[in-house]
Amino acid sequence: MKRAIITISESGNVNIPSGNVWMSEVELMELFEVIAPTLRAAIKAIYKSGTLCPVITQRCDTITPTSWATFYNLEAVIALAFRLNTYGASRIRQKVLEALCQRKENGICWIMSWNNNAIPHCN
């Protein structure tokens, strides 16, 4: 699987690649500076609320011939950034909001549809 990850430099600059963002639990724990139970609880809460569906936002893939990991897409990472209260989460929130405001100023209009029929039902 060809994938990209979000990084935060020591100076606090956030790099959100335009490529195929998929991050493992370990990468997310490092990004958000949280421990595994905190990350898993946040992911579980996001899925339980129906905000995101795991069928679309997570996948399992092999790392080596004998091991595998669960990966989360950009949508899940952004949802986690708005769910967690850490330095990394606040930097990502700020970067995402700046990007949205900048696009608005450039005349690009975002239309978001929250039609429940278009999203697979997850329980």
Side-chain angles (χ1 to χ4, degrees):
M1 159 180 58
K2 194 92 162 142
R3 64 188 184 90
I5 65 169
I6 297 171
T7 57
I8 301 174
S9 70
E10 288 183 17
S11 61
N13 293 326
V14 177
N15 178 32
I16 301 177
S18 59
N20 193 20
V21 174
W22 286 90
M23 297 182 68
S24 70
E25 280 189 3
V26 172
E27 292 165 340
L28 290 170
M29 288 186 303
E30 290 174 5
L31 180 68
F32 293 120
E33 299 172 337
V34 295
I35 59 176
T38 303
L39 179 70
R40 290 180 186 143
I43 292 168
K44 184 178 178 179
I46 290 168
Y47 289 151
K48 185 176 181 181
S49 71
T51 304
L52 296 178
C53 180
V55 172
I56 297 169
T57 59
Q58 84 177 38
R59 70 179 180 196
C60 293
D61 205 356
T62 57
I63 300 173
T64 67
T66 58
S67 66
W68 60 273
T70 302
F71 294 90
Y72 299 90
N73 71 1
L74 178 60
E75 189 175 5
V77 176
I78 292 172
L80 285 166
F82 281 89
R83 178 88 187 170
L84 297 169
N85 187 23
T86 65
Y87 173 76
S90 69
R91 297 297 301 150
I92 292 169
R93 286 192 303 267
Q94 182 179 8
K95 178 77 171 185
V96 168
L97 293 173
E98 283 174 5
L100 286 173
C101 291
Q102 191 174 38
R103 289 178 187 235
K104 182 180 176 186
E105 291 171 5
N106 292 335
I108 297 174
C109 180
W110 282 65
I111 299 174
M112 301 175 85
S113 173
W114 296 104
N115 182 353
N116 287 336
N117 295 329
I119 300 172
H121 182 67
C122 298
N123 281 331

